[in-house]
PDB file of all heavy atoms in Angstrom:
ATOM      1  N   PRO A   1      22.297 299.684  43.104  1.00 42.00           N
ATOM      2  CA  PRO A   1      23.496 299.614  42.147  1.00 42.00           C
ATOM      3  C   PRO A   1      23.079 300.016  40.748  1.00 42.00           C
ATOM      4  O   PRO A   1      23.982 300.502  39.990  1.00 42.00           O
ATOM      5  CB  PRO A   1      23.890 298.189  42.301  1.00 42.00           C
ATOM      6  CG  PRO A   1      22.744 297.496  42.691  1.00 42.00           C
ATOM      7  CD  PRO A   1      21.963 298.403  43.655  1.00 42.00           C
ATOM      8  N   VAL A   2      21.885 299.726  40.316  1.00 44.00           N
ATOM      9  CA  VAL A   2      21.532 300.003  38.893  1.00 44.00           C
ATOM     10  C   VAL A   2      21.437 301.542  38.762  1.00 44.00           C
ATOM     11  O   VAL A   2      21.859 302.086  37.790  1.00 44.00           O
ATOM     12  CB  VAL A   2      20.100 299.412  38.551  1.00 44.00           C
ATOM     13  CG1 VAL A   2      19.686 299.846  37.117  1.00 44.00           C
ATOM     14  CG2 VAL A   2      20.241 297.913  38.578  1.00 44.00           C
ATOM     15  N   ARG A   3      20.863 302.266  39.632  1.00 45.00           N
ATOM     16  CA  ARG A   3      20.857 303.730  39.594  1.00 45.00           C
ATOM     17  C   ARG A   3      22.228 304.268  39.736  1.00 45.00           C
ATOM     18  O   ARG A   3      22.579 305.273  38.974  1.00 45.00           O
ATOM     19  CB  ARG A   3      19.918 304.309  40.737  1.00 45.00           C
ATOM     20  CG  ARG A   3      18.397 303.959  40.700  1.00 45.00           C
ATOM     21  CD  ARG A   3      17.740 304.562  41.731  1.00 45.00           C
ATOM     22  NE  ARG A   3      16.349 304.127  41.832  1.00 45.00           N
ATOM     23  CZ  ARG A   3      15.320 304.402  41.133  1.00 45.00           C
ATOM     24  NH1 ARG A   3      15.584 305.380  40.162  1.00 45.00           N
ATOM     25  NH2 ARG A   3      14.117 303.948  41.210  1.00 45.00           N
ATOM     26  N   LEU A   4      23.033 303.771  40.623  1.00 40.00           N
ATOM     27  CA  LEU A   4      24.364 304.280  40.823  1.00 40.00           C
ATOM     28  C   LEU A   4      25.300 304.031  39.664  1.00 40.00           C
ATOM     29  O   LEU A   4      26.328 304.727  39.501  1.00 40.00           O
ATOM     30  CB  LEU A   4      25.002 303.614  42.057  1.00 40.00           C
ATOM     31  CG  LEU A   4      24.451 303.990  43.478  1.00 40.00           C
ATOM     32  CD1 LEU A   4      25.035 303.164  44.515  1.00 40.00           C
ATOM     33  CD2 LEU A   4      24.526 305.448  43.706  1.00 40.00           C
ATOM     34  N   ALA A   5      24.856 303.160  38.776  1.00 45.00           N
ATOM     35  CA  ALA A   5      25.689 302.946  37.554  1.00 45.00           C
ATOM     36  C   ALA A   5      25.775 304.188  36.695  1.00 45.00           C
ATOM     37  O   ALA A   5      26.783 304.468  36.000  1.00 45.00           O
ATOM     38  CB  ALA A   5      25.171 301.863  36.693  1.00 45.00           C
ATOM     39  N   GLY A   6      24.734 305.025  36.723  1.00 50.00           N
ATOM     40  CA  GLY A   6      24.798 306.306  36.061  1.00 50.00           C
ATOM     41  C   GLY A   6      24.707 306.230  34.543  1.00 50.00           C
ATOM     42  O   GLY A   6      24.983 307.309  33.894  1.00 50.00           O
ATOM     43  N   ASP A   7      24.326 305.150  33.951  1.00 56.00           N
ATOM     44  CA  ASP A   7      24.314 305.001  32.502  1.00 56.00           C
ATOM     45  C   ASP A   7      22.899 305.536  32.039  1.00 56.00           C
ATOM     46  O   ASP A   7      21.972 305.135  32.599  1.00 56.00           O
ATOM     47  CB  ASP A   7      24.501 303.486  32.130  1.00 56.00           C
ATOM     48  CG  ASP A   7      24.391 303.370  30.628  1.00 56.00           C
ATOM     49  OD1 ASP A   7      25.459 303.558  29.925  1.00 56.00           O
ATOM     50  OD2 ASP A   7      23.366 303.076  30.036  1.00 56.00           O
ATOM     51  N   PRO A   8      22.858 306.392  31.051  1.00 65.00           N
ATOM     52  CA  PRO A   8      21.594 306.914  30.540  1.00 65.00           C
ATOM     53  C   PRO A   8      20.603 305.877  30.145  1.00 65.00           C
ATOM     54  O   PRO A   8      19.406 305.959  30.344  1.00 65.00           O
ATOM     55  CB  PRO A   8      22.087 307.845  29.403  1.00 65.00           C
ATOM     56  CG  PRO A   8      23.470 308.255  29.725  1.00 65.00           C
ATOM     57  CD  PRO A   8      24.002 306.942  30.328  1.00 65.00           C
ATOM     58  N   ALA A   9      21.086 304.782  29.360  1.00 62.00           N
ATOM     59  CA  ALA A   9      20.209 303.837  28.906  1.00 62.00           C
ATOM     60  C   ALA A   9      19.690 302.978  30.158  1.00 62.00           C
ATOM     61  O   ALA A   9      18.426 302.778  30.179  1.00 62.00           O
ATOM     62  CB  ALA A   9      20.992 302.758  27.973  1.00 62.00           C
ATOM     63  N   THR A  10      20.452 302.768  31.063  1.00 62.00           N
ATOM     64  CA  THR A  10      20.021 302.023  32.260  1.00 62.00           C
ATOM     65  C   THR A  10      19.028 302.940  33.069  1.00 62.00           C
ATOM     66  O   THR A  10      17.968 302.381  33.591  1.00 62.00           O
ATOM     67  CB  THR A  10      21.202 301.617  33.183  1.00 62.00           C
ATOM     68  OG1 THR A  10      22.068 300.864  32.451  1.00 62.00           O
ATOM     69  CG2 THR A  10      20.732 300.801  34.359  1.00 62.00           C
ATOM     70  N   ALA A  11      19.219 304.147  33.082  1.00 66.00           N
ATOM     71  CA  ALA A  11      18.400 305.062  33.792  1.00 66.00           C
ATOM     72  C   ALA A  11      17.066 305.055  33.118  1.00 66.00           C
ATOM     73  O   ALA A  11      15.985 305.140  33.764  1.00 66.00           O
ATOM     74  CB  ALA A  11      19.004 306.528  33.856  1.00 66.00           C
ATOM     75  N   ARG A  12      16.949 304.916  31.819  1.00 71.00           N
ATOM     76  CA  ARG A  12      15.660 304.911  31.156  1.00 71.00           C
ATOM     77  C   ARG A  12      14.890 303.618  31.427  1.00 71.00           C
ATOM     78  O   ARG A  12      13.666 303.558  31.650  1.00 71.00           O
ATOM     79  CB  ARG A  12      15.863 305.039  29.731  1.00 71.00           C
ATOM     80  CG  ARG A  12      16.168 306.548  29.184  1.00 71.00           C
ATOM     81  CD  ARG A  12      15.917 306.728  27.764  1.00 71.00           C
ATOM     82  NE  ARG A  12      16.887 305.904  26.938  1.00 71.00           N
ATOM     83  CZ  ARG A  12      18.088 306.296  26.577  1.00 71.00           C
ATOM     84  NH1 ARG A  12      18.524 307.478  27.020  1.00 71.00           N
ATOM     85  NH2 ARG A  12      18.839 305.544  25.813  1.00 71.00           N
ATOM     86  N   LEU A  13      15.694 302.469  31.582  1.00 69.00           N
ATOM     87  CA  LEU A  13      15.099 301.185  31.910  1.00 69.00           C
ATOM     88  C   LEU A  13      14.536 301.291  33.375  1.00 69.00           C
ATOM     89  O   LEU A  13      13.436 300.744  33.595  1.00 69.00           O
ATOM     90  CB  LEU A  13      16.127 300.136  31.899  1.00 69.00           C
ATOM     91  CG  LEU A  13      16.532 299.572  30.469  1.00 69.00           C
ATOM     92  CD1 LEU A  13      17.650 298.651  30.652  1.00 69.00           C
ATOM     93  CD2 LEU A  13      15.254 299.014  29.798  1.00 69.00           C
ATOM     94  N   VAL A  14      15.375 301.942  34.258  1.00 67.00           N
ATOM     95  CA  VAL A  14      14.739 302.050  35.622  1.00 67.00           C
ATOM     96  C   VAL A  14      13.488 302.877  35.644  1.00 67.00           C
ATOM     97  O   VAL A  14      12.551 302.564  36.331  1.00 67.00           O
ATOM     98  CB  VAL A  14      15.847 302.741  36.551  1.00 67.00           C
ATOM     99  CG1 VAL A  14      15.324 303.052  37.893  1.00 67.00           C
ATOM    100  CG2 VAL A  14      17.021 301.693  36.680  1.00 67.00           C
ATOM    101  N   ALA A  15      13.485 304.045  34.949  1.00 73.00           N
ATOM    102  CA  ALA A  15      12.369 304.831  34.856  1.00 73.00           C
ATOM    103  C   ALA A  15      11.094 304.128  34.315  1.00 73.00           C
ATOM    104  O   ALA A  15       9.928 304.265  34.827  1.00 73.00           O
ATOM    105  CB  ALA A  15      12.564 306.158  34.042  1.00 73.00           C
ATOM    106  N   ALA A  16      11.359 303.348  33.290  1.00 74.00           N
ATOM    107  CA  ALA A  16      10.137 302.580  32.646  1.00 74.00           C
ATOM    108  C   ALA A  16       9.693 301.512  33.659  1.00 74.00           C
ATOM    109  O   ALA A  16       8.456 301.414  33.793  1.00 74.00           O
ATOM    110  CB  ALA A  16      10.581 301.931  31.368  1.00 74.00           C
ATOM    111  N   ALA A  17      10.587 300.874  34.371  1.00 71.00           N
ATOM    112  CA  ALA A  17      10.102 299.812  35.348  1.00 71.00           C
ATOM    113  C   ALA A  17       9.494 300.473  36.428  1.00 71.00           C
ATOM    114  O   ALA A  17       8.462 299.872  36.907  1.00 71.00           O
ATOM    115  CB  ALA A  17      11.402 299.016  35.859  1.00 71.00           C
ATOM    116  N   ASP A  18      10.011 301.653  36.948  1.00 73.00           N
ATOM    117  CA  ASP A  18       9.270 302.274  38.058  1.00 73.00           C
ATOM    118  C   ASP A  18       7.850 302.698  37.646  1.00 73.00           C
ATOM    119  O   ASP A  18       6.866 302.656  38.423  1.00 73.00           O
ATOM    120  CB  ASP A  18      10.060 303.603  38.404  1.00 73.00           C
ATOM    121  CG  ASP A  18      11.350 303.235  39.282  1.00 73.00           C
ATOM    122  OD1 ASP A  18      11.376 302.068  39.704  1.00 73.00           O
ATOM    123  OD2 ASP A  18      12.113 304.078  39.448  1.00 73.00           O
ATOM    124  N   ALA A  19       7.722 303.234  36.421  1.00 77.00           N
ATOM    125  CA  ALA A  19       6.403 303.602  35.904  1.00 77.00           C
ATOM    126  C   ALA A  19       5.446 302.520  35.841  1.00 77.00           C
ATOM    127  O   ALA A  19       4.323 302.544  36.151  1.00 77.00           O
ATOM    128  CB  ALA A  19       6.507 304.293  34.493  1.00 77.00           C
ATOM    129  N   ARG A  20       5.985 301.321  35.240  1.00 77.00           N
ATOM    130  CA  ARG A  20       5.202 300.106  35.164  1.00 77.00           C
ATOM    131  C   ARG A  20       4.767 299.677  36.453  1.00 77.00           C
ATOM    132  O   ARG A  20       3.599 299.302  36.725  1.00 77.00           O
ATOM    133  CB  ARG A  20       6.025 299.082  34.431  1.00 77.00           C
ATOM    134  CG  ARG A  20       5.430 297.677  34.573  1.00 77.00           C
ATOM    135  CD  ARG A  20       4.376 297.428  33.517  1.00 77.00           C
ATOM    136  NE  ARG A  20       4.235 296.022  33.230  1.00 77.00           N
ATOM    137  CZ  ARG A  20       3.478 295.192  33.868  1.00 77.00           C
ATOM    138  NH1 ARG A  20       2.846 295.616  34.919  1.00 77.00           N
ATOM    139  NH2 ARG A  20       3.381 293.960  33.522  1.00 77.00           N
ATOM    140  N   LEU A  21       5.705 299.700  37.495  1.00 75.00           N
ATOM    141  CA  LEU A  21       5.386 299.247  38.835  1.00 75.00           C
ATOM    142  C   LEU A  21       4.324 300.095  39.491  1.00 75.00           C
ATOM    143  O   LEU A  21       3.350 299.560  40.066  1.00 75.00           O
ATOM    144  CB  LEU A  21       6.649 299.180  39.667  1.00 75.00           C
ATOM    145  CG  LEU A  21       6.561 298.815  41.058  1.00 75.00           C
ATOM    146  CD1 LEU A  21       5.955 297.392  41.214  1.00 75.00           C
ATOM    147  CD2 LEU A  21       7.858 298.911  41.774  1.00 75.00           C
ATOM    148  N   ALA A  22       4.502 301.406  39.304  1.00 78.00           N
ATOM    149  CA  ALA A  22       3.501 302.345  40.030  1.00 78.00           C
ATOM    150  C   ALA A  22       2.118 302.167  39.385  1.00 78.00           C
ATOM    151  O   ALA A  22       1.135 302.169  40.111  1.00 78.00           O
ATOM    152  CB  ALA A  22       4.077 303.774  39.875  1.00 78.00           C
ATOM    153  N   ASP A  23       2.131 302.084  38.100  1.00 82.00           N
ATOM    154  CA  ASP A  23       0.788 302.000  37.363  1.00 82.00           C
ATOM    155  C   ASP A  23       0.137 300.606  37.726  1.00 82.00           C
ATOM    156  O   ASP A  23      -1.144 300.481  37.924  1.00 82.00           O
ATOM    157  CB  ASP A  23       1.037 301.892  35.889  1.00 82.00           C
ATOM    158  CG  ASP A  23       1.265 303.418  35.338  1.00 82.00           C
ATOM    159  OD1 ASP A  23       0.938 304.299  36.136  1.00 82.00           O
ATOM    160  OD2 ASP A  23       1.701 303.565  34.183  1.00 82.00           O
ATOM    161  N   THR A  24       0.989 299.545  37.814  1.00 84.00           N
ATOM    162  CA  THR A  24       0.380 298.275  38.243  1.00 84.00           C
ATOM    163  C   THR A  24      -0.254 298.242  39.578  1.00 84.00           C
ATOM    164  O   THR A  24      -1.379 297.797  39.818  1.00 84.00           O
ATOM    165  CB  THR A  24       1.466 297.179  38.176  1.00 84.00           C
ATOM    166  OG1 THR A  24       1.929 297.027  36.738  1.00 84.00           O
ATOM    167  CG2 THR A  24       0.867 295.831  38.683  1.00 84.00           C
ATOM    168  N   TRP A  25       0.555 298.786  40.601  1.00 85.00           N
ATOM    169  CA  TRP A  25      -0.065 298.873  41.921  1.00 85.00           C
ATOM    170  C   TRP A  25      -1.207 299.827  42.099  1.00 85.00           C
ATOM    171  O   TRP A  25      -2.223 299.569  42.778  1.00 85.00           O
ATOM    172  CB  TRP A  25       1.016 299.263  42.958  1.00 85.00           C
ATOM    173  CG  TRP A  25       1.954 298.101  43.225  1.00 85.00           C
ATOM    174  CD1 TRP A  25       3.325 297.981  42.829  1.00 85.00           C
ATOM    175  CD2 TRP A  25       1.607 296.927  43.927  1.00 85.00           C
ATOM    176  NE1 TRP A  25       3.767 296.764  43.335  1.00 85.00           N
ATOM    177  CE2 TRP A  25       2.737 296.132  43.916  1.00 85.00           C
ATOM    178  CE3 TRP A  25       0.491 296.447  44.602  1.00 85.00           C
ATOM    179  CZ2 TRP A  25       2.905 294.856  44.592  1.00 85.00           C
ATOM    180  CZ3 TRP A  25       0.522 295.256  45.253  1.00 85.00           C
ATOM    181  CH2 TRP A  25       1.696 294.394  45.236  1.00 85.00           C
ATOM    182  N   ARG A  26      -1.190 300.943  41.215  1.00 87.00           N
ATOM    183  CA  ARG A  26      -2.314 301.850  41.330  1.00 87.00           C
ATOM    184  C   ARG A  26      -3.616 301.111  40.717  1.00 87.00           C
ATOM    185  O   ARG A  26      -4.696 301.245  41.268  1.00 87.00           O
ATOM    186  CB  ARG A  26      -2.053 303.049  40.434  1.00 87.00           C
ATOM    187  CG  ARG A  26      -3.060 304.162  40.534  1.00 87.00           C
ATOM    188  CD  ARG A  26      -2.724 305.322  39.658  1.00 87.00           C
ATOM    189  NE  ARG A  26      -1.388 305.846  40.113  1.00 87.00           N
ATOM    190  CZ  ARG A  26      -0.312 305.820  39.331  1.00 87.00           C
ATOM    191  NH1 ARG A  26      -0.323 305.248  38.139  1.00 87.00           N
ATOM    192  NH2 ARG A  26       0.904 306.267  39.758  1.00 87.00           N
ATOM    193  N   THR A  27      -3.354 300.408  39.659  1.00 90.00           N
ATOM    194  CA  THR A  27      -4.558 299.624  38.972  1.00 90.00           C
ATOM    195  C   THR A  27      -5.090 298.578  40.021  1.00 90.00           C
ATOM    196  O   THR A  27      -6.298 298.521  40.193  1.00 90.00           O
ATOM    197  CB  THR A  27      -4.176 298.846  37.778  1.00 90.00           C
ATOM    198  OG1 THR A  27      -3.675 299.883  36.803  1.00 90.00           O
ATOM    199  CG2 THR A  27      -5.238 298.039  37.176  1.00 90.00           C
ATOM    200  N   ILE A  28      -4.173 297.838  40.637  1.00 91.00           N
ATOM    201  CA  ILE A  28      -4.681 296.831  41.654  1.00 91.00           C
ATOM    202  C   ILE A  28      -5.428 297.559  42.766  1.00 91.00           C
ATOM    203  O   ILE A  28      -6.547 297.074  43.142  1.00 91.00           O
ATOM    204  CB  ILE A  28      -3.411 295.995  42.177  1.00 91.00           C
ATOM    205  CG1 ILE A  28      -2.883 295.142  41.042  1.00 91.00           C
ATOM    206  CG2 ILE A  28      -3.874 295.185  43.348  1.00 91.00           C
ATOM    207  CD1 ILE A  28      -1.555 294.533  41.484  1.00 91.00           C
ATOM    208  N   SER A  29      -4.893 298.571  43.313  1.00 90.00           N
ATOM    209  CA  SER A  29      -5.582 299.268  44.360  1.00 90.00           C
ATOM    210  C   SER A  29      -6.878 299.835  44.006  1.00 90.00           C
ATOM    211  O   SER A  29      -7.852 299.723  44.765  1.00 90.00           O
ATOM    212  CB  SER A  29      -4.620 300.464  44.892  1.00 90.00           C
ATOM    213  OG  SER A  29      -5.210 301.111  45.966  1.00 90.00           O
ATOM    214  N   GLU A  30      -6.999 300.391  42.771  1.00 92.00           N
ATOM    215  CA  GLU A  30      -8.346 300.935  42.367  1.00 92.00           C
ATOM    216  C   GLU A  30      -9.330 299.866  42.086  1.00 92.00           C
ATOM    217  O   GLU A  30     -10.530 299.996  42.312  1.00 92.00           O
ATOM    218  CB  GLU A  30      -8.087 301.770  41.105  1.00 92.00           C
ATOM    219  CG  GLU A  30      -7.313 303.094  41.391  1.00 92.00           C
ATOM    220  CD  GLU A  30      -6.962 303.802  40.091  1.00 92.00           C
ATOM    221  OE1 GLU A  30      -7.195 303.247  38.928  1.00 92.00           O
ATOM    222  OE2 GLU A  30      -6.428 304.982  40.203  1.00 92.00           O
ATOM    223  N   LYS A  31      -8.921 298.675  41.577  1.00 93.00           N
ATOM    224  CA  LYS A  31      -9.780 297.689  41.180  1.00 93.00           C
ATOM    225  C   LYS A  31     -10.296 296.867  42.466  1.00 93.00           C
ATOM    226  O   LYS A  31     -11.470 296.528  42.514  1.00 93.00           O
ATOM    227  CB  LYS A  31      -9.143 296.674  40.240  1.00 93.00           C
ATOM    228  CG  LYS A  31     -10.048 295.594  39.758  1.00 93.00           C
ATOM    229  CD  LYS A  31      -9.434 294.742  38.670  1.00 93.00           C
ATOM    230  CE  LYS A  31     -10.391 293.727  38.155  1.00 93.00           C
ATOM    231  NZ  LYS A  31      -9.780 292.851  36.967  1.00 93.00           N
ATOM    232  N   TYR A  32      -9.320 296.489  43.328  1.00 93.00           N
ATOM    233  CA  TYR A  32      -9.793 295.614  44.412  1.00 93.00           C
ATOM    234  C   TYR A  32      -9.856 296.374  45.796  1.00 93.00           C
ATOM    235  O   TYR A  32     -10.411 295.771  46.742  1.00 93.00           O
ATOM    236  CB  TYR A  32      -8.732 294.499  44.506  1.00 93.00           C
ATOM    237  CG  TYR A  32      -8.680 293.676  43.266  1.00 93.00           C
ATOM    238  CD1 TYR A  32      -7.554 293.687  42.418  1.00 93.00           C
ATOM    239  CD2 TYR A  32      -9.726 292.801  42.928  1.00 93.00           C
ATOM    240  CE1 TYR A  32      -7.614 292.951  41.225  1.00 93.00           C
ATOM    241  CE2 TYR A  32      -9.703 292.087  41.778  1.00 93.00           C
ATOM    242  CZ  TYR A  32      -8.625 292.133  40.986  1.00 93.00           C
ATOM    243  OH  TYR A  32      -8.557 291.397  39.727  1.00 93.00           O
ATOM    244  N   GLY A  33      -9.170 297.505  45.933  1.00 92.00           N
ATOM    245  CA  GLY A  33      -9.028 298.102  47.161  1.00 92.00           C
ATOM    246  C   GLY A  33      -8.041 297.659  48.087  1.00 92.00           C
ATOM    247  O   GLY A  33      -7.634 296.488  48.021  1.00 92.00           O
ATOM    248  N   MET A  34      -7.389 298.583  48.788  1.00 92.00           N
ATOM    249  CA  MET A  34      -6.482 298.175  49.874  1.00 92.00           C
ATOM    250  C   MET A  34      -6.990 298.694  51.203  1.00 92.00           C
ATOM    251  O   MET A  34      -7.020 299.901  51.387  1.00 92.00           O
ATOM    252  CB  MET A  34      -5.006 298.915  49.623  1.00 92.00           C
ATOM    253  CG  MET A  34      -4.337 298.327  48.344  1.00 92.00           C
ATOM    254  SD  MET A  34      -3.714 296.570  48.549  1.00 92.00           S
ATOM    255  CE  MET A  34      -3.204 296.270  46.871  1.00 92.00           C
ATOM    256  N   LEU A  35      -7.561 297.754  51.986  1.00 93.00           N
ATOM    257  CA  LEU A  35      -8.344 298.090  53.158  1.00 93.00           C
ATOM    258  C   LEU A  35      -7.545 298.171  54.411  1.00 93.00           C
ATOM    259  O   LEU A  35      -6.760 297.333  54.627  1.00 93.00           O
ATOM    260  CB  LEU A  35      -9.511 297.143  53.208  1.00 93.00           C
ATOM    261  CG  LEU A  35     -10.356 296.886  51.993  1.00 93.00           C
ATOM    262  CD1 LEU A  35     -11.338 295.681  52.233  1.00 93.00           C
ATOM    263  CD2 LEU A  35     -11.023 298.062  51.522  1.00 93.00           C
ATOM    264  N   THR A  36      -7.928 299.070  55.192  1.00 92.00           N
ATOM    265  CA  THR A  36      -7.475 299.178  56.603  1.00 92.00           C
ATOM    266  C   THR A  36      -8.314 298.246  57.468  1.00 92.00           C
ATOM    267  O   THR A  36      -9.448 297.902  57.015  1.00 92.00           O
ATOM    268  CB  THR A  36      -7.459 300.521  57.129  1.00 92.00           C
ATOM    269  OG1 THR A  36      -8.763 301.065  57.228  1.00 92.00           O
ATOM    270  CG2 THR A  36      -6.594 301.452  56.280  1.00 92.00           C
ATOM    271  N   ALA A  37      -7.838 298.016  58.677  1.00 92.00           N
ATOM    272  CA  ALA A  37      -8.695 297.271  59.571  1.00 92.00           C
ATOM    273  C   ALA A  37      -9.965 297.968  59.940  1.00 92.00           C
ATOM    274  O   ALA A  37     -11.049 297.442  60.198  1.00 92.00           O
ATOM    275  CB  ALA A  37      -7.874 296.919  60.890  1.00 92.00           C
ATOM    276  N   THR A  38      -9.905 299.289  60.001  1.00 92.00           N
ATOM    277  CA  THR A  38     -11.042 300.089  60.227  1.00 92.00           C
ATOM    278  C   THR A  38     -12.076 300.013  59.155  1.00 92.00           C
ATOM    279  O   THR A  38     -13.324 299.841  59.472  1.00 92.00           O
ATOM    280  CB  THR A  38     -10.585 301.563  60.373  1.00 92.00           C
ATOM    281  OG1 THR A  38      -9.676 301.749  61.426  1.00 92.00           O
ATOM    282  CG2 THR A  38     -11.825 302.487  60.645  1.00 92.00           C
ATOM    283  N   GLU A  39     -11.632 299.847  57.901  1.00 94.00           N
ATOM    284  CA  GLU A  39     -12.527 299.752  56.841  1.00 94.00           C
ATOM    285  C   GLU A  39     -13.215 298.374  56.755  1.00 94.00           C
ATOM    286  O   GLU A  39     -14.385 298.148  56.458  1.00 94.00           O
ATOM    287  CB  GLU A  39     -11.907 299.956  55.478  1.00 94.00           C
ATOM    288  CG  GLU A  39     -11.476 301.496  55.362  1.00 94.00           C
ATOM    289  CD  GLU A  39     -10.597 301.689  54.259  1.00 94.00           C
ATOM    290  OE1 GLU A  39      -9.737 300.871  53.806  1.00 94.00           O
ATOM    291  OE2 GLU A  39     -10.678 302.850  53.588  1.00 94.00           O
ATOM    292  N   VAL A  40     -12.422 297.348  57.166  1.00 95.00           N
ATOM    293  CA  VAL A  40     -12.971 295.962  57.235  1.00 95.00           C
ATOM    294  C   VAL A  40     -13.976 295.921  58.348  1.00 95.00           C
ATOM    295  O   VAL A  40     -15.058 295.246  58.140  1.00 95.00           O
ATOM    296  CB  VAL A  40     -11.832 295.073  57.456  1.00 95.00           C
ATOM    297  CG1 VAL A  40     -12.489 293.530  57.583  1.00 95.00           C
ATOM    298  CG2 VAL A  40     -10.870 294.935  56.229  1.00 95.00           C
ATOM    299  N   ALA A  41     -13.726 296.513  59.450  1.00 95.00           N
ATOM    300  CA  ALA A  41     -14.677 296.640  60.557  1.00 95.00           C
ATOM    301  C   ALA A  41     -15.966 297.236  60.143  1.00 95.00           C
ATOM    302  O   ALA A  41     -17.089 296.835  60.562  1.00 95.00           O
ATOM    303  CB  ALA A  41     -14.063 297.296  61.785  1.00 95.00           C
ATOM    304  N   SER A  42     -15.938 298.284  59.350  1.00 94.00           N
ATOM    305  CA  SER A  42     -17.110 298.895  58.889  1.00 94.00           C
ATOM    306  C   SER A  42     -17.934 298.017  58.070  1.00 94.00           C
ATOM    307  O   SER A  42     -19.196 298.004  58.180  1.00 94.00           O
ATOM    308  CB  SER A  42     -16.738 300.233  58.122  1.00 94.00           C
ATOM    309  OG  SER A  42     -17.818 300.805  57.610  1.00 94.00           O
ATOM    310  N   VAL A  43     -17.315 297.363  57.117  1.00 93.00           N
ATOM    311  CA  VAL A  43     -18.104 296.386  56.304  1.00 93.00           C
ATOM    312  C   VAL A  43     -18.611 295.305  57.108  1.00 93.00           C
ATOM    313  O   VAL A  43     -19.844 294.804  56.892  1.00 93.00           O
ATOM    314  CB  VAL A  43     -17.090 295.820  55.139  1.00 93.00           C
ATOM    315  CG1 VAL A  43     -17.829 294.695  54.423  1.00 93.00           C
ATOM    316  CG2 VAL A  43     -16.627 296.915  54.255  1.00 93.00           C
ATOM    317  N   ALA A  44     -17.868 294.722  58.054  1.00 92.00           N
ATOM    318  CA  ALA A  44     -18.378 293.647  58.922  1.00 92.00           C
ATOM    319  C   ALA A  44     -19.370 294.004  59.919  1.00 92.00           C
ATOM    320  O   ALA A  44     -19.934 293.156  60.572  1.00 92.00           O
ATOM    321  CB  ALA A  44     -17.115 292.949  59.482  1.00 92.00           C
ATOM    322  N   HIS A  45     -19.479 295.276  60.161  1.00 93.00           N
ATOM    323  CA  HIS A  45     -20.385 295.731  61.267  1.00 93.00           C
ATOM    324  C   HIS A  45     -20.061 295.164  62.607  1.00 93.00           C
ATOM    325  O   HIS A  45     -20.867 294.694  63.397  1.00 93.00           O
ATOM    326  CB  HIS A  45     -21.893 295.404  60.918  1.00 93.00           C
ATOM    327  CG  HIS A  45     -22.376 295.962  59.637  1.00 93.00           C
ATOM    328  ND1 HIS A  45     -22.448 297.335  59.461  1.00 93.00           N
ATOM    329  CD2 HIS A  45     -22.635 295.482  58.445  1.00 93.00           C
ATOM    330  CE1 HIS A  45     -22.851 297.592  58.266  1.00 93.00           C
ATOM    331  NE2 HIS A  45     -23.057 296.495  57.573  1.00 93.00           N
ATOM    332  N   ARG A  46     -18.686 295.170  62.906  1.00 93.00           N
ATOM    333  CA  ARG A  46     -18.145 294.720  64.159  1.00 93.00           C
ATOM    334  C   ARG A  46     -17.219 295.689  64.781  1.00 93.00           C
ATOM    335  O   ARG A  46     -16.828 296.673  64.051  1.00 93.00           O
ATOM    336  CB  ARG A  46     -17.447 293.338  63.993  1.00 93.00           C
ATOM    337  CG  ARG A  46     -18.350 292.212  63.446  1.00 93.00           C
ATOM    338  CD  ARG A  46     -17.463 291.025  63.140  1.00 93.00           C
ATOM    339  NE  ARG A  46     -16.787 290.522  64.260  1.00 93.00           N
ATOM    340  CZ  ARG A  46     -15.780 289.638  64.204  1.00 93.00           C
ATOM    341  NH1 ARG A  46     -15.374 289.176  63.085  1.00 93.00           N
ATOM    342  NH2 ARG A  46     -15.114 289.273  65.348  1.00 93.00           N
TER     343      ARG A  46
END
């Protein structure tokens, strides 16, 4: 509904929040890793 409002100011808020969110998850993923079960198995040697 925020996007559908079509207001330019709101659109900028949405864009900023999306950028913040994407950067945050990218930082977390790069720092700690997001592992698949296959990757965990490789580390565990099981």
Side-chain angles (χ1 to χ4, degrees):
V2 176
R3 296 184 190 278
L4 291 177
D7 181 83
T10 303
R12 287 197 294 275
L13 284 176
V14 171
D18 284 348
R20 166 79 158 88
L21 177 61
D23 285 344
T24 296
W25 284 108
R26 187 179 304 111
T27 298
I28 293 172
S29 181
E30 290 174 353
K31 183 174 183 179
Y32 301 108
M34 293 291 174
L35 307 177
T36 64
T38 300
E39 290 169 329
V40 176
S42 177
V43 172
H45 302 293
R46 299 173 58 195

